[in-house]
Amino acid sequence: MTILRYTKGTNDFFTNQIMDQLFRETNGSLQNSAQRVASLNPRTNVVDEKEKFVIEMLIPGFSKKDVAIKVEDGFLKITGEKEDVADRTYLRKEFGATKLERAFKLSKGIDQESISAEVRDGILFVSLPKFKEEELKVKEITIQ
């Protein structure tokens, strides 16, 4: 990794524009920018089990009433919103997601009518059962 010093007076127009935009959008704080992204896109694992897929999503501080899961237009949409405590004065704030949003494209092999979800220990588990593949049956046809 190479660390480059940013000097506003350089002749590289493209680099100047990118850096100016970066500092303008994040107010000079990359840490705050990363927190905003993490609050909208919570960390997620997708596990392929034999009979189902399982989505594991970190949602610390969210209860099941704060989260909504919908199947719409071939997508599984997970959204959530909770109230932020307004009367607190923080000396340091490193987390505090109040919104989350994720969408997953569902394949044709998912049984959309049997999708279920539960929350345990700050993790949302969404179970996506696979259609059972029926064995191909050999059928003999008699000629008349």
Side-chain angles (χ1 to χ4, degrees), residues 4-8 10 12-28 30:
L4 300 175
R5 180 179 294 247
Y6 171 66
T7 309
K8 191 168 176 123
T10 62
D12 187 354
F13 177 75
F14 183 70
T15 303
N16 284 343
Q17 275 198 320
I18 290 174
M19 294 304 286
D20 286 343
Q21 180 182 3
L22 177 69
F23 281 99
R24 194 171 40 253
E25 288 176 358
T26 62
N27 293 328
L30 293 176

mmCIF file of all heavy atoms in Angstrom, residues 4-8 10 12-28 30:
data_model
loop_
_atom_site.group_PDB
_atom_site.id
_atom_site.type_symbol
_atom_site.label_atom_id
_atom_site.label_comp_id
_atom_site.label_asym_id
_atom_site.label_seq_id
_atom_site.Cartn_x
_atom_site.Cartn_y
_atom_site.Cartn_z
ATOM 1 N N LEU A 4 -0.173 8.458 -0.282
ATOM 2 C CA LEU A 4 0.141 9.659 -1.038
ATOM 3 C C LEU A 4 -0.312 10.876 -0.256
ATOM 4 O O LEU A 4 -1.389 10.890 0.322
ATOM 5 C CB LEU A 4 -0.569 9.643 -2.401
ATOM 6 C CG LEU A 4 -0.224 8.483 -3.325
ATOM 7 C CD1 LEU A 4 -1.097 8.542 -4.569
ATOM 8 C CD2 LEU A 4 1.232 8.527 -3.714
ATOM 9 N N ARG A 5 0.490 11.902 -0.273
ATOM 10 C CA ARG A 5 0.124 13.141 0.388
ATOM 11 C C ARG A 5 -0.731 13.957 -0.572
ATOM 12 O O ARG A 5 -0.407 14.111 -1.741
ATOM 13 C CB ARG A 5 1.372 13.924 0.760
ATOM 14 C CG ARG A 5 1.069 15.241 1.453
ATOM 15 C CD ARG A 5 2.349 15.939 1.797
ATOM 16 N NE ARG A 5 3.036 15.149 2.797
ATOM 17 C CZ ARG A 5 3.229 15.541 4.042
ATOM 18 N NH1 ARG A 5 2.823 16.714 4.428
ATOM 19 N NH2 ARG A 5 3.840 14.778 4.894
ATOM 20 N N TYR A 6 -1.852 14.436 -0.087
ATOM 21 C CA TYR A 6 -2.741 15.242 -0.901
ATOM 22 C C TYR A 6 -2.375 16.703 -0.736
ATOM 23 O O TYR A 6 -2.341 17.231 0.363
ATOM 24 C CB TYR A 6 -4.200 15.021 -0.491
ATOM 25 C CG TYR A 6 -5.152 15.990 -1.159
ATOM 26 C CD1 TYR A 6 -5.351 15.951 -2.530
ATOM 27 C CD2 TYR A 6 -5.846 16.928 -0.420
ATOM 28 C CE1 TYR A 6 -6.218 16.814 -3.145
ATOM 29 C CE2 TYR A 6 -6.716 17.790 -1.026
ATOM 30 C CZ TYR A 6 -6.904 17.739 -2.392
ATOM 31 O OH TYR A 6 -7.763 18.615 -3.008
ATOM 32 N N THR A 7 -2.075 17.339 -1.846
ATOM 33 C CA THR A 7 -1.804 18.763 -1.868
ATOM 34 C C THR A 7 -2.794 19.403 -2.814
ATOM 35 O O THR A 7 -2.857 19.044 -3.990
ATOM 36 C CB THR A 7 -0.363 19.043 -2.347
ATOM 37 O OG1 THR A 7 0.524 18.244 -1.577
ATOM 38 C CG2 THR A 7 -0.007 20.504 -2.209
ATOM 39 N N LYS A 8 -3.568 20.329 -2.321
ATOM 40 C CA LYS A 8 -4.635 20.906 -3.123
ATOM 41 C C LYS A 8 -4.114 21.629 -4.353
ATOM 42 O O LYS A 8 -4.814 21.746 -5.355
ATOM 43 C CB LYS A 8 -5.472 21.851 -2.262
ATOM 44 C CG LYS A 8 -6.739 22.274 -2.934
ATOM 45 C CD LYS A 8 -7.668 22.957 -1.982
ATOM 46 C CE LYS A 8 -8.862 23.439 -2.754
ATOM 47 N NZ LYS A 8 -10.106 22.979 -2.299
ATOM 48 N N THR A 10 -1.901 20.664 -6.588
ATOM 49 C CA THR A 10 -1.282 19.856 -7.631
ATOM 50 C C THR A 10 -1.970 20.096 -8.962
ATOM 51 O O THR A 10 -3.076 20.597 -9.040
ATOM 52 C CB THR A 10 -1.342 18.348 -7.295
ATOM 53 O OG1 THR A 10 -2.700 17.962 -7.206
ATOM 54 C CG2 THR A 10 -0.622 18.043 -6.013
ATOM 55 N N ASP A 12 -2.854 17.742 -11.077
ATOM 56 C CA ASP A 12 -3.672 16.604 -11.489
ATOM 57 C C ASP A 12 -5.138 16.926 -11.220
ATOM 58 O O ASP A 12 -5.643 16.769 -10.116
ATOM 59 C CB ASP A 12 -3.226 15.354 -10.723
ATOM 60 C CG ASP A 12 -3.920 14.104 -11.221
ATOM 61 O OD1 ASP A 12 -4.821 14.213 -12.075
ATOM 62 O OD2 ASP A 12 -3.559 13.014 -10.746
ATOM 63 N N PHE A 13 -5.850 17.372 -12.244
ATOM 64 C CA PHE A 13 -7.231 17.815 -12.117
ATOM 65 C C PHE A 13 -8.131 16.692 -11.596
ATOM 66 O O PHE A 13 -8.957 16.897 -10.720
ATOM 67 C CB PHE A 13 -7.742 18.322 -13.469
ATOM 68 C CG PHE A 13 -9.185 18.736 -13.454
ATOM 69 C CD1 PHE A 13 -9.568 19.929 -12.858
ATOM 70 C CD2 PHE A 13 -10.159 17.933 -14.012
ATOM 71 C CE1 PHE A 13 -10.899 20.306 -12.824
ATOM 72 C CE2 PHE A 13 -11.487 18.304 -13.984
ATOM 73 C CZ PHE A 13 -11.857 19.495 -13.394
ATOM 74 N N PHE A 14 -7.965 15.483 -12.148
ATOM 75 C CA PHE A 14 -8.816 14.354 -11.774
ATOM 76 C C PHE A 14 -8.660 14.033 -10.293
ATOM 77 O O PHE A 14 -9.639 13.874 -9.571
ATOM 78 C CB PHE A 14 -8.475 13.143 -12.644
ATOM 79 C CG PHE A 14 -9.345 11.955 -12.381
ATOM 80 C CD1 PHE A 14 -10.682 11.961 -12.743
ATOM 81 C CD2 PHE A 14 -8.834 10.834 -11.763
ATOM 82 C CE1 PHE A 14 -11.487 10.871 -12.499
ATOM 83 C CE2 PHE A 14 -9.632 9.727 -11.521
ATOM 84 C CZ PHE A 14 -10.964 9.752 -11.891
ATOM 85 N N THR A 15 -7.423 13.936 -9.808
ATOM 86 C CA THR A 15 -7.173 13.622 -8.403
ATOM 87 C C THR A 15 -7.730 14.714 -7.507
ATOM 88 O O THR A 15 -8.345 14.422 -6.476
ATOM 89 C CB THR A 15 -5.666 13.441 -8.143
ATOM 90 O OG1 THR A 15 -5.182 12.420 -9.009
ATOM 91 C CG2 THR A 15 -5.396 13.051 -6.708
ATOM 92 N N ASN A 16 -7.558 15.965 -7.879
ATOM 93 C CA ASN A 16 -8.084 17.066 -7.073
ATOM 94 C C ASN A 16 -9.600 16.976 -6.947
ATOM 95 O O ASN A 16 -10.150 17.174 -5.866
ATOM 96 C CB ASN A 16 -7.711 18.412 -7.684
ATOM 97 C CG ASN A 16 -6.264 18.776 -7.424
ATOM 98 O OD1 ASN A 16 -5.629 18.205 -6.552
ATOM 99 N ND2 ASN A 16 -5.747 19.708 -8.195
ATOM 100 N N GLN A 17 -10.279 16.662 -8.042
ATOM 101 C CA GLN A 17 -11.739 16.569 -7.992
ATOM 102 C C GLN A 17 -12.193 15.422 -7.095
ATOM 103 O O GLN A 17 -13.119 15.571 -6.314
ATOM 104 C CB GLN A 17 -12.308 16.363 -9.393
ATOM 105 C CG GLN A 17 -12.514 17.649 -10.142
ATOM 106 C CD GLN A 17 -13.461 17.432 -11.305
ATOM 107 O OE1 GLN A 17 -13.400 16.421 -11.972
ATOM 108 N NE2 GLN A 17 -14.330 18.395 -11.512
ATOM 109 N N ILE A 18 -11.536 14.284 -7.214
ATOM 110 C CA ILE A 18 -11.909 13.137 -6.393
ATOM 111 C C ILE A 18 -11.695 13.437 -4.915
ATOM 112 O O ILE A 18 -12.562 13.173 -4.084
ATOM 113 C CB ILE A 18 -11.104 11.882 -6.807
ATOM 114 C CG1 ILE A 18 -11.570 11.407 -8.181
ATOM 115 C CG2 ILE A 18 -11.263 10.770 -5.783
ATOM 116 C CD1 ILE A 18 -10.738 10.280 -8.739
ATOM 117 N N MET A 19 -10.559 13.993 -4.579
ATOM 118 C CA MET A 19 -10.264 14.272 -3.177
ATOM 119 C C MET A 19 -11.187 15.352 -2.623
ATOM 120 O O MET A 19 -11.667 15.241 -1.494
ATOM 121 C CB MET A 19 -8.796 14.680 -3.006
ATOM 122 C CG MET A 19 -7.816 13.567 -3.328
ATOM 123 S SD MET A 19 -8.093 12.071 -2.365
ATOM 124 C CE MET A 19 -7.492 12.580 -0.786
ATOM 125 N N ASP A 20 -11.451 16.379 -3.414
ATOM 126 C CA ASP A 20 -12.385 17.412 -2.958
ATOM 127 C C ASP A 20 -13.764 16.818 -2.692
ATOM 128 O O ASP A 20 -14.402 17.120 -1.690
ATOM 129 C CB ASP A 20 -12.495 18.538 -3.987
ATOM 130 C CG ASP A 20 -11.269 19.440 -3.997
ATOM 131 O OD1 ASP A 20 -10.490 19.395 -3.014
ATOM 132 O OD2 ASP A 20 -11.095 20.177 -4.980
ATOM 133 N N GLN A 21 -14.227 15.956 -3.605
ATOM 134 C CA GLN A 21 -15.530 15.316 -3.436
ATOM 135 C C GLN A 21 -15.533 14.413 -2.209
ATOM 136 O O GLN A 21 -16.490 14.408 -1.434
ATOM 137 C CB GLN A 21 -15.886 14.516 -4.678
ATOM 138 C CG GLN A 21 -17.232 13.824 -4.575
ATOM 139 C CD GLN A 21 -17.549 13.002 -5.808
ATOM 140 O OE1 GLN A 21 -16.746 12.901 -6.725
ATOM 141 N NE2 GLN A 21 -18.720 12.421 -5.821
ATOM 142 N N LEU A 22 -14.467 13.665 -2.005
ATOM 143 C CA LEU A 22 -14.368 12.772 -0.861
ATOM 144 C C LEU A 22 -14.502 13.541 0.448
ATOM 145 O O LEU A 22 -15.274 13.177 1.327
ATOM 146 C CB LEU A 22 -13.032 12.022 -0.898
ATOM 147 C CG LEU A 22 -12.743 11.102 0.274
ATOM 148 C CD1 LEU A 22 -13.680 9.901 0.238
ATOM 149 C CD2 LEU A 22 -11.305 10.646 0.242
ATOM 150 N N PHE A 23 -13.766 14.636 0.589
ATOM 151 C CA PHE A 23 -13.819 15.402 1.824
ATOM 152 C C PHE A 23 -15.118 16.177 1.968
ATOM 153 O O PHE A 23 -15.613 16.381 3.064
ATOM 154 C CB PHE A 23 -12.606 16.333 1.945
ATOM 155 C CG PHE A 23 -11.382 15.607 2.383
ATOM 156 C CD1 PHE A 23 -10.427 15.200 1.470
ATOM 157 C CD2 PHE A 23 -11.210 15.275 3.713
ATOM 158 C CE1 PHE A 23 -9.308 14.504 1.873
ATOM 159 C CE2 PHE A 23 -10.085 14.567 4.127
ATOM 160 C CZ PHE A 23 -9.135 14.185 3.201
ATOM 161 N N ARG A 24 -15.706 16.595 0.852
ATOM 162 C CA ARG A 24 -16.973 17.311 0.900
ATOM 163 C C ARG A 24 -18.093 16.362 1.367
ATOM 164 O O ARG A 24 -18.910 16.708 2.191
ATOM 165 C CB ARG A 24 -17.283 17.885 -0.482
ATOM 166 C CG ARG A 24 -18.368 18.905 -0.523
ATOM 167 C CD ARG A 24 -18.504 19.614 -1.868
ATOM 168 N NE ARG A 24 -18.351 18.755 -3.030
ATOM 169 C CZ ARG A 24 -17.274 18.747 -3.849
ATOM 170 N NH1 ARG A 24 -16.261 19.552 -3.619
ATOM 171 N NH2 ARG A 24 -17.219 17.942 -4.881
ATOM 172 N N GLU A 25 -18.132 15.128 0.832
ATOM 173 C CA GLU A 25 -19.190 14.178 1.168
ATOM 174 C C GLU A 25 -19.065 13.631 2.578
ATOM 175 O O GLU A 25 -20.058 13.299 3.208
ATOM 176 C CB GLU A 25 -19.195 13.021 0.172
ATOM 177 C CG GLU A 25 -19.698 13.423 -1.189
ATOM 178 C CD GLU A 25 -19.616 12.289 -2.192
ATOM 179 O OE1 GLU A 25 -19.135 11.194 -1.830
ATOM 180 O OE2 GLU A 25 -20.039 12.500 -3.332
ATOM 181 N N THR A 26 -17.860 13.496 3.076
ATOM 182 C CA THR A 26 -17.671 12.888 4.399
ATOM 183 C C THR A 26 -17.367 13.915 5.479
ATOM 184 O O THR A 26 -17.110 13.550 6.613
ATOM 185 C CB THR A 26 -16.510 11.882 4.352
ATOM 186 O OG1 THR A 26 -15.306 12.583 4.020
ATOM 187 C CG2 THR A 26 -16.773 10.779 3.359
ATOM 188 N N ASN A 27 -17.380 15.188 5.125
ATOM 189 C CA ASN A 27 -17.020 16.253 6.061
ATOM 190 C C ASN A 27 -15.648 16.013 6.679
ATOM 191 O O ASN A 27 -15.417 16.270 7.846
ATOM 192 C CB ASN A 27 -18.072 16.410 7.161
ATOM 193 C CG ASN A 27 -19.377 16.912 6.611
ATOM 194 O OD1 ASN A 27 -19.399 17.671 5.646
ATOM 195 N ND2 ASN A 27 -20.468 16.482 7.206
ATOM 196 N N GLY A 28 -14.743 15.433 5.878
ATOM 197 C CA GLY A 28 -13.384 15.205 6.330
ATOM 198 C C GLY A 28 -13.215 13.989 7.217
ATOM 199 O O GLY A 28 -12.138 13.721 7.697
ATOM 200 N N LEU A 30 -13.604 10.004 7.302
ATOM 201 C CA LEU A 30 -13.884 8.733 6.651
ATOM 202 C C LEU A 30 -14.576 7.772 7.606
ATOM 203 O O LEU A 30 -15.341 6.910 7.192
ATOM 204 C CB LEU A 30 -12.596 8.121 6.114
ATOM 205 C CG LEU A 30 -11.934 8.887 4.977
ATOM 206 C CD1 LEU A 30 -10.629 8.225 4.600
ATOM 207 C CD2 LEU A 30 -12.848 8.964 3.777
#
